[in-house]
Coordinates of all heavy atoms in Angstrom, one line a residue:
G312 N -7.1 27.0 15.0 CA -6.4 27.8 16.1 C -7.3 28.4 17.1 O -7.0 28.3 18.3
K313 N -8.4 29.0 16.7 CA -9.4 29.6 17.6 C -10.0 28.5 18.4 O -10.2 28.6 19.6 CB -10.5 30.3 16.7 CG -11.5 31.1 17.6 CD -12.3 31.9 16.7 CE -13.3 32.7 17.4 NZ -14.3 33.5 16.7
A314 N -10.3 27.3 17.7 CA -11.0 26.3 18.5 C -9.9 25.7 19.5 O -10.3 25.3 20.6 CB -11.4 25.1 17.5
A315 N -8.7 25.7 19.2 CA -7.8 25.1 20.1 C -7.7 26.0 21.3 O -7.5 25.6 22.4 CB -6.4 24.9 19.4
R316 N -7.6 27.4 21.1 CA -7.5 28.3 22.2 C -8.8 28.2 23.1 O -8.6 28.3 24.4 CB -7.4 29.7 21.6 CG -6.0 30.1 21.1 CD -5.8 31.6 20.9 NE -6.8 32.0 19.9 CZ -6.6 32.0 18.5 NH1 -5.5 31.5 18.0 NH2 -7.6 32.5 17.8
I317 N -9.9 28.1 22.5 CA -11.1 28.0 23.3 C -11.1 26.7 24.2 O -11.4 26.8 25.4 CB -12.4 28.0 22.4 CG1 -12.5 29.4 21.8 CG2 -13.6 27.6 23.2 CD1 -13.7 29.4 20.7
F318 N -10.7 25.6 23.5 CA -10.6 24.4 24.3 C -9.6 24.5 25.4 O -9.9 24.1 26.6 CB -10.2 23.3 23.4 CG -10.1 21.9 24.1 CD1 -11.2 21.2 24.4 CD2 -8.8 21.3 24.3 CE1 -11.1 20.0 24.9 CE2 -8.7 20.2 24.9 CZ -9.8 19.4 25.2
K319 N -8.4 25.1 25.2 CA -7.4 25.3 26.2 C -7.9 26.1 27.3 O -7.6 25.8 28.5 CB -6.2 25.9 25.6 CG -5.0 26.0 26.5 CD -3.8 26.6 25.7 CE -2.7 26.7 26.7 NZ -1.5 27.4 26.0
S320 N -8.6 27.2 27.1 CA -9.1 28.1 28.1 C -10.3 27.5 28.9 O -10.2 27.6 30.1 CB -9.6 29.4 27.5 OG -10.7 29.3 26.7
E321 N -11.1 26.6 28.3 CA -12.1 25.9 29.0 C -11.5 24.8 29.9 O -12.0 24.7 31.1 CB -13.1 25.4 28.0 CG -14.0 26.4 27.3 CD -14.8 27.2 28.3 OE1 -15.4 26.6 29.2 OE2 -15.1 28.3 28.0
A322 N -10.6 24.2 29.4 CA -9.9 23.1 30.3 C -9.1 23.8 31.5 O -9.2 23.3 32.5 CB -8.8 22.3 29.4
K323 N -8.6 24.9 31.3 CA -7.9 25.7 32.4 C -9.0 26.1 33.4 O -8.8 26.0 34.6 CB -7.2 26.9 31.8 CG -6.4 27.6 32.8 CD -5.7 28.7 32.3 CE -4.9 29.5 33.3 NZ -4.2 30.6 32.8
A324 N -10.1 26.6 32.8 CA -11.1 27.0 33.8 C -11.7 25.9 34.6 O -12.0 26.0 35.9 CB -12.3 27.7 33.0
L325 N -11.8 24.7 34.0 CA -12.4 23.5 34.7 C -11.4 23.1 35.8 O -11.7 22.7 36.9 CB -12.7 22.4 33.7 CG -13.9 22.5 33.0 CD1 -14.0 21.4 32.0 CD2 -15.2 22.5 33.9
K326 N -10.1 23.1 35.5 CA -9.1 22.8 36.4 C -9.1 23.8 37.6 O -8.9 23.3 38.8 CB -7.6 22.8 35.8 CG -7.3 21.6 35.0 CD -5.9 21.7 34.5 CE -5.5 20.4 33.7 NZ -4.1 20.5 33.2
E327 N -9.2 25.0 37.4 CA -9.3 26.0 38.4 C -10.5 25.9 39.2 O -10.5 26.0 40.5 CB -9.2 27.4 37.9 CG -7.9 27.9 37.3 CD -7.9 29.3 36.7 OE1 -9.0 29.9 36.6 OE2 -6.8 29.6 36.2
Q328 N -11.6 25.5 38.7 CA -13.0 25.3 39.3 C -12.8 24.0 40.3 O -13.3 24.0 41.4 CB -14.0 25.2 38.3 CG -15.4 25.1 39.1 CD -16.5 25.0 37.9 OE1 -16.3 24.8 36.8 NE2 -17.7 25.1 38.4
D329 N -12.2 23.0 39.7 CA -12.1 21.8 40.5 C -11.0 21.9 41.7 O -11.0 21.1 42.6 CB -11.7 20.6 39.6 CG -12.9 20.3 38.7 OD1 -14.0 20.7 39.1 OD2 -12.6 19.5 37.7
A330 N -10.1 22.8 41.5 CA -9.1 22.9 42.5 C -9.7 23.5 43.9 O -10.5 24.1 43.9 CB -8.0 23.9 42.1
P331 N -9.1 23.0 45.1 CA -9.6 23.5 46.3 C -9.4 25.0 46.4 O -8.4 25.6 46.1 CB -8.7 22.8 47.4 CG -7.9 21.9 46.7 CD -8.0 22.1 45.2
G332 N -10.4 25.7 46.8 CA -10.4 27.2 46.9 C -10.5 27.8 45.6 O -9.9 28.9 45.4
G333 N -11.1 27.2 44.6 CA -11.2 27.6 43.2 C -11.2 29.2 42.9 O -11.1 29.9 44.0
S334 N -11.2 29.6 41.8 CA -11.1 31.0 41.5 C -12.3 31.8 41.8 O -13.5 31.0 41.9 CB -10.9 31.2 40.0 OG -11.9 30.8 39.2
P335 N -12.4 33.1 42.1 CA -13.6 33.8 42.4 C -14.6 33.7 41.3 O -15.8 33.8 41.5 CB -13.1 35.2 42.7 CG -11.6 35.1 42.9 CD -11.2 33.9 42.2
A336 N -14.1 33.6 40.1 CA -15.1 33.6 38.9 C -15.8 32.2 38.8 O -16.7 32.1 38.1 CB -14.3 33.8 37.6
A337 N -15.4 31.3 39.6 CA -16.1 30.0 39.6 C -17.4 29.9 40.3 O -18.0 28.9 40.2 CB -15.1 28.9 40.2
G338 N -17.8 31.0 40.9 CA -19.1 31.1 41.5 C -19.0 31.4 43.0 O -18.0 31.7 43.5
N339 N -20.1 31.2 43.7 CA -20.1 31.6 45.1 C -20.0 30.5 46.0 O -20.5 30.6 47.2 CB -21.3 32.4 45.4 CG -21.5 33.8 44.8 OD1 -20.3 34.4 44.5 ND2 -22.6 34.3 44.5
A340 N -19.4 29.4 45.6 CA -19.3 28.2 46.4 C -18.5 28.5 47.7 O -18.7 27.9 48.7 CB -18.7 27.0 45.6
G341 N -17.5 29.3 47.6 CA -16.7 29.5 48.8 C -17.3 30.6 49.7 O -16.8 30.8 50.7
N342 N -18.3 31.3 49.2 CA -18.9 32.3 50.0 C -20.2 32.0 50.6 O -20.9 32.9 50.8 CB -18.9 33.6 49.1 CG -17.7 34.1 48.6 OD1 -16.7 34.0 49.3 ND2 -17.7 34.8 47.4
A343 N -20.5 30.8 50.7 CA -21.8 30.3 51.2 C -22.2 30.9 52.5 O -23.4 31.1 52.8 CB -21.9 28.8 51.2
G344 N -21.2 31.1 53.4 CA -21.5 31.5 54.8 C -21.4 33.0 55.0 O -21.8 33.5 55.9
N345 N -21.1 33.8 53.9 CA -20.9 35.2 54.0 C -22.3 36.0 53.8 O -22.9 35.6 52.9 CB -19.9 35.7 53.1 CG -18.5 35.2 53.3 OD1 -18.3 34.7 54.5 ND2 -17.6 35.1 52.3
A346 N -22.6 36.9 54.7 CA -23.8 37.7 54.4 C -23.4 39.0 53.8 O -22.4 39.6 54.1 CB -24.5 38.0 55.8
V347 N -24.3 39.6 53.1 CA -24.1 40.9 52.5 C -25.1 41.9 53.1 O -26.2 41.6 53.1 CB -24.3 40.8 50.9 CG1 -24.0 42.2 50.3 CG2 -23.2 39.8 50.4
S348 N -24.7 43.0 53.6 CA -25.5 44.1 54.1 C -26.1 44.9 53.0 O -25.5 45.1 51.9 CB -24.8 45.0 55.0 OG -23.8 45.7 54.4
G349 N -27.3 45.4 53.1 CA -27.9 46.1 52.1 C -29.5 46.2 52.2 O -30.1 45.5 53.2
T350 N -30.2 46.7 51.4 CA -31.6 46.8 51.4 C -32.1 46.2 50.2 O -31.7 46.4 49.1 CB -32.1 48.2 51.4 OG1 -31.5 48.9 52.6 CG2 -33.6 48.4 51.6
V351 N -33.1 45.4 50.3 CA -33.8 44.6 49.1 C -34.9 45.6 48.7 O -35.7 46.2 49.4 CB -34.4 43.4 49.5 CG1 -35.1 42.7 48.4 CG2 -33.3 42.4 50.1
V352 N -34.9 45.8 47.3 CA -35.9 46.8 46.7 C -36.7 46.0 45.6 O -36.2 45.2 45.1 CB -35.2 48.0 46.1 CG1 -34.6 48.9 47.3 CG2 -34.2 47.6 45.1
D353 N -37.9 46.5 45.5 CA -38.7 46.0 44.4 C -38.3 46.6 43.0 O -37.5 47.4 43.1 CB -40.2 46.2 44.7 CG -40.7 45.4 45.8 OD1 -40.3 44.3 45.9 OD2 -41.6 45.9 46.5
R354 N -38.9 46.1 42.0 CA -38.5 46.7 40.7 C -38.8 48.2 40.5 O -38.2 48.8 39.8 CB -39.2 45.9 39.6 CG -38.8 44.5 39.4 CD -39.4 43.9 38.3 NE -38.9 42.5 38.3 CZ -38.9 41.8 37.2 NH1 -39.5 42.2 36.1 NH2 -38.4 40.5 37.2
D355 N -39.8 48.6 41.3 CA -40.1 50.1 41.2 C -39.3 51.0 42.0 O -39.5 52.2 42.0 CB -41.7 50.2 41.5 CG -41.9 49.9 42.9 OD1 -41.1 49.4 43.6 OD2 -43.2 50.1 43.4
G356 N -38.3 50.3 42.8 CA -37.4 51.2 43.6 C -37.8 51.3 45.1 O -37.0 51.8 45.7

Side-chain angles (χ1 to χ4, degrees):
K313 187 175 182 180
R316 282 191 303 272
I317 291 171
F318 180 76
K319 185 178 177 182
S320 68
E321 290 296 325
K323 183 179 178 183
L325 283 175
K326 280 185 180 180
E327 288 177 357
Q328 186 178 9
D329 289 342
S334 69
N339 292 332
N342 298 330
N345 297 342
V347 177
S348 62
T350 304
V351 177
V352 295
D353 288 326
R354 290 183 183 202
D355 62 357

